[in-house]
Amino acid sequence: MGDAVVVGVDGGSLSLGAARWAAAEAARRGAPLRIVLAYHWRVPVVMAPRGGLADTARHLAEMLVADVVRDVETVAPGTPVQGTAVLGRAADVLLQESGDAALLVVGTRGRHRAAGTVLGSVSQQVAMHATCPVVVVRGRVDPSGDVLVGIDGSESADHALDVAFTEAGLCRSGLVAVRALEAPIAPPALGAPPLLDDTAETRRSLSAAAAAEVASAGERHPDVRWECHGIVGDAANVLADRSSRARLAVVGSRGHGGFTGLLLGSVGMHLLQRADCPVMIAHERSDGVPHAPEAGP
């Protein structure tokens, strides 16, 4: 199922929302959907069927998967759906799945996370280490919005831009590209007059650079309408603010570095925590299969 959309579920309402989003995405792509639930034997066994603890855990997990399969079949009728329960640690199982998936989808947090947790550890590990593009479904789901993408001139951002154009084409929506840069802060030289406010010039320069990047990618996607903006400001905050009007926000898995880069550890991670729409980390396909860091005590 190398062309499949894979979604990780755990029986919670947030993961069900992720499964529904994944089903609609699979239908748009004309791809099969694979629903994966990772489980272990440490489960409540009140009202459990007869049999050993391992059999009980497997039985409960398979029932949860079957419920999700029935639900998403109503969202995307005609889309091939496969559900499976896998014994193992959730992050490890999903990262293994990413090695043979076109797209991996997860919710923001698992059902066993504290209520105050915005992004669950499994979602974070998957977003950081997967070998295929990852979507974390969060915020609102607005099918009328455009695809938002952050660009910064890096190879990773160029790849994210191409992925965003593809998504916009699948959704038949527009694309909004944003290149943001914090204004430099530099004191005037000793005895020199104060620096003139060059924010307008910085914005024009950013807009010109963004237009050149987007126009080049747009030639490969002539049916997608697009617009681009050069904005003076913190990239993470700018993109998070604009996510309130987007159907999907796309960023690269890494950038130039520092405040100018779309690093998963900075801008990407900020969006995973704060965006008001689903967020895609546009990992490039890799033949390797990563493993999540070991869980703490």
Side-chain angles (χ1 to χ4, degrees):
M1 298 186 73
D3 62 340
V5 174
V6 177
V7 59
V9 299
D10 64 4
S13 60
L14 291 176
S15 75
L16 180 58
R20 291 171 177 170
W21 190 97
E25 179 71 10
R28 282 191 290 268
R29 292 168 175 245
L33 176 67
R34 177 172 167 85
I35 300 169
V36 178
L37 185 147
Y39 73 96
H40 51 71
W41 59 266
R42 298 181 183 88
V43 294
V45 291
V46 178
M47 300 178 64
R50 294 181 179 178
L53 195 54
D55 289 341
T56 296
R58 184 180 66 254
H59 180 77
L60 293 177
E62 290 173 347
M63 287 195 301
L64 286 174
V65 170
D67 288 342
V68 177
V69 169
R70 283 191 291 269
D71 183 90
V72 302
E73 285 177 337
T74 66
V75 175
T79 296
V81 180
Q82 176 192 18
T84 184
V86 181
L87 179 64
R89 184 166 165 259
D92 289 336
V93 168
L94 293 177
L95 288 175
Q96 185 74 27
E97 291 283 340
S98 79
D100 192 36
L103 177 69
L104 181 59
V105 181
V106 292
T108 50
R109 61 180 182 266
R111 65 187 305 180
H112 302 303
R113 300 297 173 190
T117 301
V118 177
L119 182 69
S121 63
V122 171
S123 300
Q124 180 173 325
Q125 291 172 35
V126 168
M128 292 179 66
H129 300 293
T131 56
C132 71
V134 174
V135 170
V136 176
V137 179
R138 57 165 296 111
R140 62 188 222 306
V141 176
D142 181 5
S144 66
D146 290 333
V147 174
L148 173 70
V149 59
I151 57 178
D152 67 359
S154 67
E155 290 185 5
S156 178
D158 288 345
H159 175 70
L161 178 59
D162 201 57
V163 169
F165 262 112
T166 299
E167 285 296 317
L170 289 171
C171 300
R172 298 183 179 179
S173 70
L175 177 139
V176 178
V178 173
R179 184 164 186 167
L181 180 70
E182 287 185 307
I185 301 175
L190 183 63
L195 292 176
L196 296 176
D197 183 1
D198 64 348
T199 299
E201 179 58 33
T202 301
R203 186 181 299 112
R204 282 193 292 271
S205 177
L206 285 171
S207 296
E213 291 178 56
V214 180
S216 178
E219 292 177 355
R220 298 188 292 274
H221 305 272
D223 296 332
V224 177
R225 60 177 173 82
W226 58 266
E227 60 184 79
C228 62
H229 304 275
I231 300 174
V232 177
D234 175 71
N237 290 329
V238 167
L239 290 170
D241 177 66
R242 287 184 171 255
S243 71
S244 64
R245 303 183 293 279
R247 66 182 300 148
L248 176 70
V250 182
V251 292
S253 57
R254 57 191 179 276
H256 279 314
F259 66 87
T260 62
L262 294 174
L263 296 175
L264 181 56
S266 56
V267 176
M269 189 58 68
H270 184 86
L271 286 178
L272 292 176
Q273 297 279 2
R274 303 299 178 194
D276 192 35
C277 69
V279 177
M280 174 183 283
I281 306 298
H283 292 289
E284 297 188 54
R285 283 261 12 134
S286 170
D287 293 333
V289 179
H291 298 282
E294 291 298 323

